[in-house]
Amino acid sequence: TAIEPPLKLKLGTRLMREWNGINYTVLVTEDGFTFAGKTWRSLSHIARHITGAQWSGPRFFGLKSKGRS
């Protein structure tokens, strides 16, 4: 399975987002993303885990704006 999103993120990049007063950090790795002690293949799955709602992972982490593809 391809890593989602198909963005060019450098290994070691840290994505940070504050949600409901809690700061979350995701690390870009060779295998995908590391968050909460687990490896994830999808930023959208991480965003869903954090919020409990369907989110675009790149949008949730500020990598894409609402009107940009």
Side-chain angles (χ1 to χ4, degrees):
T1 309
I3 294 173
E4 187 236 342
L7 298 170
K8 303 284 188 208
L9 297 173
K10 289 186 180 184
L11 292 178
T13 298
R14 291 187 188 280
L15 305 173
M16 293 182 274
R17 169 71 195 258
E18 185 267 332
W19 181 258
N20 289 338
I22 300 171
N23 292 313
Y24 296 95
T25 302
V26 173
L27 179 66
V28 179
T29 66
E30 287 183 3
D31 297 324
F33 308 95
T34 300
F35 169 71
K38 292 175 43 180
T39 297
W40 304 70
R41 301 290 285 165
S42 166
L43 282 177
S44 295
H45 288 143
I46 295 170
R48 187 175 310 125
H49 177 79
I50 291 169
T51 65
Q54 188 77 20
W55 268 86
S56 159
R59 185 185 293 166
F60 180 79
F61 286 99
L63 302 174
K64 288 189 176 183
S65 64
K66 188 174 182 175
R68 204 168 84 203
S69 59

